[in-house]
Amino acid sequence: MPSTLRLVLGDQLNTQHSWFKHLNKEVTYLLCECRSETDYAHHHIQKITAFFLAMRAFAQWLNEQGHRVQYLQLDDPANEGSITANVKKVITDGDYTTFEYQAPDEYRLKEALKNYCNTLEINYLCFDSEHFLVDRSFVAELFKNKKTYLMETFYRKVRTQYQLLMEADGVTPLTGQWNYDKSNRNRLPDKVALPEVPSFKRDASEIEQLLQKEKVKTIGSMDATAFDWPLTREEGLHLLDHFCQHRLAQFGTYQDAMTDRHYLLFHSKLSFVLNTKILSPIEVCKTAINHWQEHQEEIDIAQIEGFLRQIIGWREFMRGIYWAQMPAYAEKNYFQHEGKLPQWYWTGKTKMKCLSHAISQSLEYAYAHHIQRLMVTGNFALLLGVHPDEVDAWYLGIYIDAIEWVEITNTRGMSQYADGGLLATKPYVASANYMNKMSDYCKNCAYNHKEKTGEGACPFNSLYWDFMDRHRSKLENNPRIGMAYRTWDRYESEQKEEILKKADWIKKNIETL
């Protein structure tokens, strides 16, 4: 009989983990679909479907390797509804002497499992997930006693540690330049063709019917007959190869661009297979670097550096901030915003083209790229004065790749500046000028991006100045945004009053926009 029970969470689907290197018939692996996980946020139907299908595929892989597996589906009569309750029942019903699990990446689950283990009368061990590049305490130690955490400092440390895009001396970045961010801010020209996306379509009707039967509340839409996300290691590697072959060459140049022509542009679509640990960040980075090294005539260094910065820079950095700051981070609200999200954040039904497209795309694909999240939906919520809890809940639910460690730091920190500048050096707020510069949204919009007041004026413009005016005491000394007040102070008092009056009207009539 097996004597050890090992728990595998839905975001720990790493076939390369040392747990699985050797067959041990005394070990049983437990995976479970739980209401505690479907219900802690109002999730997109594609998100729950992807997790369940990926977990089932992983369990099948374990079985094929000869491992002993116990898999609890959502409607299994033996399913107790939560991860810890299921573990408790399996241990109680079995003859186990040891319980083992990998460290969860959510504070909520870390506490739940820690508290459960404290009640155990058998041995228990917690293992590393063997996924991330640095320990979860790395950021806290790097920025000990600092008021702000600078991603660039972290990024250079990790690149040096792993010798990624470094000169032979081991301390100098290739070309002598660390960061090509200034080359990553281009609008997408009409003449640039966008590559096709590889298909992973499979039938997900069984999951759709399961969720309906169990009355799991979801948002968004899904074609259950053609579910199109990579869910296995083989599919993840295929997607990575496709990205290197067809998208990397222009990734950096257009990574901040927005268009209604296509949902993916030159982005990789790897976030789900990364955040479920199906692929590892180091193998993704090294594969992309190797491809770039072999194709330097077609791919310049700004493309690969921009991609690397997203993964070993921002992704790892956000995780470090999460563990350095939780649980207090979830309470931060620097601007004391108390507003509600407009109802059309759940439908996309607004006349503002940028928001209509970004939200509708998110509902259709469970995906939007980082600038759509930051500078469209996030920007508008911040200008409007929405409570960070509302924004967190929306982002955590709607995106297929949203797990709290990466969601809350990007949302509450980067997008909403609710931490008061711990993470970001300025609030990422912008008027319609930014939207027009970086996208093709404005040319097909019902509102005029050039106007601040009047019936057809773009709401972003008056809301921008209303936000800046409201929070002047907190922002005018910020070296990256404070100069905006020089422009504001040049306006005549009557013009200021008209702009603020327009912003007030917008906030009172937000559902009609």
Side-chain angles (χ1 to χ4, degrees), residues 95-153:
D95 187 23
Y96 296 101
T97 57
T98 304
F99 171 59
E100 298 177 349
Y101 66 100
Q102 295 173 32
D105 286 306
E106 281 194 329
Y107 183 84
R108 169 182 66 92
L109 288 177
K110 179 186 84 81
E111 290 297 295
L113 282 165
K114 183 183 75 173
N115 292 337
Y116 167 69
C117 286
N118 287 337
T119 71
L120 277 175
E121 295 180 356
I122 62 173
N123 296 325
Y124 62 89
L125 288 168
C126 180
F127 288 75
D128 189 79
S129 67
E130 301 175 9
H131 174 80
F132 294 98
L133 294 170
V134 295
D135 186 81
R136 61 176 51 172
S137 64
F138 186 92
V139 165
E141 292 166 1
L142 181 63
F143 297 102
K144 189 176 181 180
N145 299 322
K146 302 287 186 182
K147 291 183 178 180
T148 58
Y149 295 3
L150 191 63
M151 192 281 285
E152 187 70 18
T153 302

Side-chain angles (χ1 to χ4, degrees), residues 322-348:
Y322 181 80
W323 288 110
Q325 293 292 318
M326 285 295 283
Y329 204 76
E331 304 296 325
K332 292 186 181 295
N333 187 0
Y334 180 68
F335 291 121
Q336 296 301 303
H337 284 168
E338 297 293 335
K340 296 281 187 183
L341 275 179
Q343 283 299 307
W344 41 258
Y345 262 68
W346 307 97
T347 66

Side-chain angles (χ1 to χ4, degrees), residues 432-476:
N433 182 55
Y434 176 88
M435 221 66 65
N436 186 55
K437 176 185 174 185
M438 293 304 301
S439 79
D440 53 18
Y441 294 147
C442 296
K443 65 182 181 182
N444 296 313
C445 186
Y447 296 98
N448 187 336
H449 69 273
K450 296 180 180 179
E451 298 297 327
K452 299 179 185 66
T453 57
E455 188 175 339
C458 175
F460 274 91
N461 292 330
S462 57
L463 287 176
Y464 172 81
W465 287 116
D466 176 70
F467 171 87
M468 295 299 291
D469 186 70
R470 285 198 326 270
H471 298 301
R472 182 164 192 155
S473 64
K474 292 185 174 181
L475 296 177
E476 67 177 332

Side-chain angles (χ1 to χ4, degrees), residues 320-505:
I321 289 174
Y322 181 80
W323 288 110
Q325 293 292 318
M326 285 295 283
Y329 204 76
E331 304 296 325
K332 292 186 181 295
N333 187 0
Y334 180 68
F335 291 121
Q336 296 301 303
H337 284 168
E338 297 293 335
K340 296 281 187 183
L341 275 179
Q343 283 299 307
W344 41 258
Y345 262 68
W346 307 97
T347 66
K349 293 179 180 178
T350 171
K351 296 187 289 291
M352 288 178 281
K353 179 61 185 288
C354 58
L355 282 155
S356 173
H357 181 263
I359 294 168
S360 297
Q361 173 189 302
S362 301
L363 291 166
E364 181 179 359
Y365 293 101
Y367 174 83
H369 71 66
H370 66 290
I371 295 299
Q372 289 174 301
R373 301 187 200 195
L374 178 66
M375 299 307 300
V376 181
T377 50
N379 178 19
F380 193 80
L382 181 55
L383 295 178
L384 198 59
V386 175
H387 195 294
D389 285 356
E390 289 255 319
V391 187
D392 270 341
W394 187 81
Y395 278 91
L396 186 59
I398 201 167
Y399 292 118
I400 198 166
D401 51 27
I403 302 171
E404 191 186 57
W405 67 266
V406 70
E407 173 277 320
I408 197 171
T409 44
N410 272 292
T411 301
R412 198 170 285 256
M414 192 73 175
S415 169
Q416 299 304 294
Y417 202 75
D419 62 9
L422 176 79
L423 190 162
T425 53
K426 66 170 184 175
Y428 280 86
V429 289
S431 67
N433 182 55
Y434 176 88
M435 221 66 65
N436 186 55
K437 176 185 174 185
M438 293 304 301
S439 79
D440 53 18
Y441 294 147
C442 296
K443 65 182 181 182
N444 296 313
C445 186
Y447 296 98
N448 187 336
H449 69 273
K450 296 180 180 179
E451 298 297 327
K452 299 179 185 66
T453 57
E455 188 175 339
C458 175
F460 274 91
N461 292 330
S462 57
L463 287 176
Y464 172 81
W465 287 116
D466 176 70
F467 171 87
M468 295 299 291
D469 186 70
R470 285 198 326 270
H471 298 301
R472 182 164 192 155
S473 64
K474 292 185 174 181
L475 296 177
E476 67 177 332
N477 293 322
N478 184 300
R480 293 197 64 199
I481 203 171
M483 69 286 294
Y485 290 103
R486 296 178 206 157
T487 302
W488 181 237
D489 289 343
R490 285 197 292 268
Y491 289 159
E492 297 291 335
S493 57
E494 293 82 3
Q495 189 178 9
K496 287 183 180 180
E497 185 179 347
E498 191 177 354
I499 291 169
L500 297 179
K501 187 176 179 181
K502 175 67 175 180
D504 184 61
W505 183 91

Side-chain angles (χ1 to χ4, degrees), residues 151 156 172 187 206 431:
M151 192 281 285
R156 295 182 184 190
T172 307
R187 180 186 172 124
E206 182 183 350
S431 67

Side-chain angles (χ1 to χ4, degrees), residues 266-290:
F266 293 98
H267 293 271
S268 71
K269 202 180 176 180
L270 289 166
S271 56
F272 179 77
V273 288
L274 272 169
N275 289 358
T276 48
K277 303 181 181 62
I278 291 170
L279 296 186
S280 76
I282 193 63
E283 72 178 322
V284 168
C285 290
K286 286 186 174 180
T287 299
I289 289 170
N290 289 341

